[in-house]
């Protein structure tokens, strides 16, 4: 490579711009890690700039007739960060304050996650600026269909494949699939993932992210010389990712001694009955009022004496302020962005191993990839096939990141970024720059 950069200042991620209100910003944290990895790889300046900027950004106008007869115009975005490893992949969120910058940041995040998971996809993200809580089902369907129609030339099984994200779900994906298919004049299930099972969804998708958390935890425990039967686990967040991670880790013999959700947490040194807690949340929406152990706050929960801590709720939970008090030997990031960049250094100095989000929660996008594969094959796997392939790919992803971190003598987090950036940049140079 020529034109190498030695000046650290040059590796300063300019785009996507900051996206979250308040401090710290998980996307800025991610970009800070990207810059560190670029520095270690001594990435060529041109390649660095290429990987900074999305290849395509589309803004569409979405006029619809509301239930009261009024015409309202919404704004929609689709950003393709890159398509170096293959067609781009990423969710669509509906949110009243989403911005193009936020979508750009999330699209680049998808690039690194797909690269680590060894999925032949680039990264993308989409959004519609709207408040779904103020829209009827009919209005949401109209928005989804018009958004899809406007992006007909962008979406496609070989070009760009959306998925659910914040405030979108299986039904939204079914509308996207149908609208795209109407325009294409054929049923095209592989244009979107996260569909209902009955129209081409994959078995195992609902459990996939929690399953990935379980598999990567077991791999890390092996490296730490611990066996699942001897470890205690605390899980923050008891939604899709948290509850399934807790259930599967318990099935592997771990003792789950702490759980929490937005209503607060519980600690029980005898172990918590996770199946009962899942049943309780099904009936009561949250853990509030349950009898699972000693009540603790979410702040206290993170600092409990335990072997494994799995933050599976939301971003910005382990920060400079509380990182010093964390007692776990291993942190497994089921959530996206739960740890700030400042906290990384503290955790490293304390000798705590962190399985970073872009590895720990990549089980979800892995099974989305399987959904796309099955749609294209027109042949559907049973749950054992899905889980076996998922587990193998997650173990491989873990090993790749672990080996990279060992080779460069870095944390697992930096190892993950180095692995992803190296893979994408080498592929880019092999393909060459057209033009
Ligand atoms: P979810 O909405 O099903 O569950 C979120 C859980 O976190 C709920 O139990 C909620 O009560 C709890 N929570 C919210 N705020 C909290 C707080 N301040 N303290 C403690 N608990 C709190 O969401 P999910 O799908 O489980 O996603 C959780 C995280 O995992 C998010 O960061 C998401 O981006 C990430 N993630 C999810 C998937 C997936 O497939 N669902 C894939 C990759 C990453």
């Amino acid at each position: 490579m020529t034109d190498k950069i030695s000046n650290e200042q040059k590796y300063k991620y300019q785009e996507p711009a900051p996206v979250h209100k308040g401090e710290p910003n998980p996307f800025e944290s991610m970009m800070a890690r990207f810059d560190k990895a670029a520095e270690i790889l001594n990435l060529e300046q041109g390649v660095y700039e290429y990987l900074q900027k999305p290849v395509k950004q589309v803004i569409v106008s979405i006029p619809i007739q509301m239930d009261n007869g009024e015409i309202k115009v919404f704004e929609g975005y689709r950003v393709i960060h890159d398509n170096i490893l293959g067609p781009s992949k990423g969710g669509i969120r509906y949110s009243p304050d989403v911005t193009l910058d936020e979508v750009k940041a999330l699209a680049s995040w998808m690039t690194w996650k797909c690269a680590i998971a060894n999925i032949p996809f680039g990264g993308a993200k989409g959004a519609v600026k709207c408040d779904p809580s103020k829209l009827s089902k009919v209005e949401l369907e109209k928005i989804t269909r018009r958004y899809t129609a406007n992006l007909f030339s962008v979406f496609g099984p070989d070009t760009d494949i959306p998925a659910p994200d914040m405030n979108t779900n299986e039904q939204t994906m079914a509308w996207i699939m149908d609208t795209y298919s109407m325009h294409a004049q054929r049923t095209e299930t592989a244009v979107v993932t996260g569909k209902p099972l009955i129209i081409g969804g994959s078995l195992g998708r609902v459990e996939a992210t929690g399953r990935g958390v379980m598999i990567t935890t077991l791999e890390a425990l092996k490296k730490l010389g611990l066996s699942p039967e001897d470890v205690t686990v605390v899980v923050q967040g008891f939604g899709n990712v948290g509850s399934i991670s807790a259930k599967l880790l318990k099935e592997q013999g771990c003792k789950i001694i702490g759980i929490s959700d937005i209503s607060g947490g519980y600690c029980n040194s005898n172990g918590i009955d996770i199946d009962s807690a899942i049943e309780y949340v099904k009936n009561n929406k949250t853990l509030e009022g349950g009898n699972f152990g000693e009540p603790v706050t979410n702040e206290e929960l993170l600092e409990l004496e335990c072997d494994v801590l799995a933050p599976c709720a939301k971003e910005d939970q382990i920060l400079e302020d509380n990182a010093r008090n964390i007692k776990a030997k291993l942190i497994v990031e089921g959530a996206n962005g739960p740890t700030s960049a400042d906290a990384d250094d503290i955790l490293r100095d304390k000798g705590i191993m962190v399985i970073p989000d872009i590895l720990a929660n990549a089980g979800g996008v892995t099974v989305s990839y399987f959904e796309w594969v099955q749609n294209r094959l027109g042949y559907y796997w049973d749950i054992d096939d899905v889980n076996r392939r998922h587990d193998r790919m997650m173990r491989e992803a873990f090993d790749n990141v672990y080996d990279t971190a060992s080779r460069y003598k870095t944390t697992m987090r930096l190892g993950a970024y180095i692995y992803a950036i190296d893979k994408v940049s080498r592929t880019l140079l092999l393909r060459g720059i057209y033009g």
Side-chain angles (χ1 to χ4, degrees):
M1 283 187 198
T2 54
D3 194 18
K4 302 256 173 79
I5 304 172
S6 52
N7 178 358
E8 195 176 332
Q9 287 305 306
K10 284 189 183 171
Y11 286 124
K12 194 86 189 76
Y13 214 104
Q14 306 293 344
E15 284 194 50
V19 290
H20 260 215
K21 294 153 210 92
E23 291 293 326
N25 172 332
F27 302 107
E28 283 181 338
S29 290
M30 173 186 62
M31 298 315 170
R33 287 135 175 176
F34 175 91
D35 286 342
K36 270 193 197 166
E39 173 85 15
I40 290 170
L41 282 167
N42 207 5
L43 207 64
E44 188 177 330
Q45 173 67 18
V47 172
Y48 178 80
E49 283 175 20
Y50 190 116
L51 296 180
Q52 259 194 341
K53 300 205 188 319
V55 293
K56 192 181 280 186
Q57 305 171 53
V58 186
I59 302 177
V60 292
S61 200
I62 307 168
I64 66 148
Q65 190 157 30
M66 307 292 281
D67 293 349
N68 65 5
E70 258 177 49
I71 295 170
K72 262 199 158 180
V73 183
F74 295 87
E75 192 163 88
Y77 312 103
R78 185 70 180 171
V79 174
I80 296 180
H81 175 252
D82 81 285
N83 44 21
I84 296 166
L85 297 180
S88 49
K89 182 99 193 76
I92 293 169
R93 60 175 53 181
Y94 289 176
S95 157
D97 43 32
V98 69
T99 63
L100 183 61
D101 282 338
E102 177 178 349
V103 181
K104 281 196 226 174
L106 292 164
S108 61
W109 204 327
M110 284 306 297
T111 297
W112 315 128
K113 200 180 276 194
C114 290
I116 287 164
N118 288 309
I119 292 169
F121 287 149
K125 207 80 182 187
V128 178
K129 213 178 183 49
C130 68
D131 184 351
S133 69
K134 300 203 168 83
L135 295 163
S136 71
K137 191 173 175 189
V138 171
E139 290 165 343
L140 276 173
E141 178 172 355
K142 284 182 182 173
I143 289 175
T144 305
R145 288 189 182 276
R146 187 65 187 254
Y147 173 75
T148 307
N150 285 352
L151 288 166
F152 181 68
S153 60
V154 174
F155 293 157
D158 292 311
T159 50
D160 180 39
I161 307 136
D165 195 69
M166 203 187 282
N167 292 328
T168 59
N169 54 28
E170 285 192 346
Q171 176 62 78
T172 326
M173 300 306 113
W175 290 329
I176 292 175
M177 187 282 256
D178 184 69
T179 309
Y180 185 91
S181 298
M182 290 298 147
H183 284 258
Q185 300 203 357
R186 62 176 185 276
T187 295
E188 192 56 89
T189 49
V191 68
V192 64
T193 63
K195 298 179 294 294
L197 208 52
I198 200 167
I199 56 163
S202 178
L203 288 170
R205 174 62 189 92
V206 173
E207 300 81 14
T209 307
R211 190 168 180 90
V213 168
M214 179 269 282
I215 292 289
T216 51
T217 303
L218 295 188
E219 292 307 298
L221 289 178
K222 275 187 220 158
K223 301 289 184 196
L224 294 172
L226 296 167
S227 73
E229 299 78 33
D230 299 331
V231 305
T232 53
V233 178
V234 168
V235 181
Q236 186 197 39
F238 210 69
N240 173 277
V241 181
S243 67
I244 291 168
S245 300
K247 181 181 161 74
L248 296 179
L249 282 168
K250 184 163 188 282
E251 281 172 16
Q252 294 298 319
C254 301
K255 194 196 270 186
I256 315 296
I257 59 156
I259 56 171
S260 76
D261 68 7
I262 186 118
S263 69
Y266 297 91
C267 160
N268 185 341
S269 56
N270 296 320
I272 296 170
D273 180 348
I274 298 300
D275 287 332
S276 302
I278 289 175
E279 196 53 35
Y280 186 87
V281 170
K282 233 184 238 166
N283 298 327
N284 299 279
K285 290 206 164 69
T286 69
L287 291 165
E288 192 168 15
N291 183 19
F292 305 110
E294 215 37 44
V296 287
T297 64
N298 263 295
E299 292 71 35
E300 290 164 343
L301 182 103
L302 295 172
E303 298 175 13
L304 287 174
E305 194 81 53
C306 64
D307 298 304
V308 179
L309 173 64
C312 299
K314 56 187 296 226
E315 69 280 2
D316 292 340
Q317 296 303 298
I318 302 172
L319 309 171
E320 205 177 359
D321 296 347
N322 63 351
R324 273 182 199 85
N325 306 331
I326 287 183
K327 299 174 191 73
K329 300 182 179 80
L330 171 67
I331 295 176
V332 190
E333 296 183 335
N336 282 321
T339 309
S340 72
D342 296 338
D344 270 356
D345 296 341
I346 299 168
L347 299 174
R348 181 201 56 209
D349 293 347
K350 280 172 68 89
I352 299 174
M353 185 196 249
V354 178
I355 309 178
D357 45 11
I358 48 178
L359 168 63
N361 68 37
V365 75
T366 300
V367 176
S368 285
Y369 162 57
F370 293 166
E371 180 176 335
W372 177 83
V373 170
Q374 293 169 79
N375 293 157
R376 308 204 78 181
L377 285 173
Y379 177 75
Y380 290 83
W381 307 341
D382 62 28
I383 187 68
D384 292 341
D385 274 338
V386 171
N387 286 344
R388 184 173 42 80
R389 290 172 206 259
H390 164 278
D391 296 358
R392 179 175 54 76
M393 285 187 67
M394 287 303 290
R395 283 192 196 105
E396 271 175 26
F398 180 93
D399 286 346
N400 289 335
V401 169
Y402 187 86
D403 292 348
T404 308
S406 307
R407 189 165 353 116
Y408 288 91
K409 300 190 172 35
T410 65
T411 59
M412 287 284 282
R413 170 141 18 239
L414 214 43
Y417 279 93
I418 293 171
Y419 178 82
I421 294 166
D422 181 49
K423 180 174 181 176
V424 175
S425 61
R426 278 189 300 116
T427 310
L428 170 64
L429 291 172
L430 269 176
R431 287 181 65 154
I433 306 294
Y434 179 67

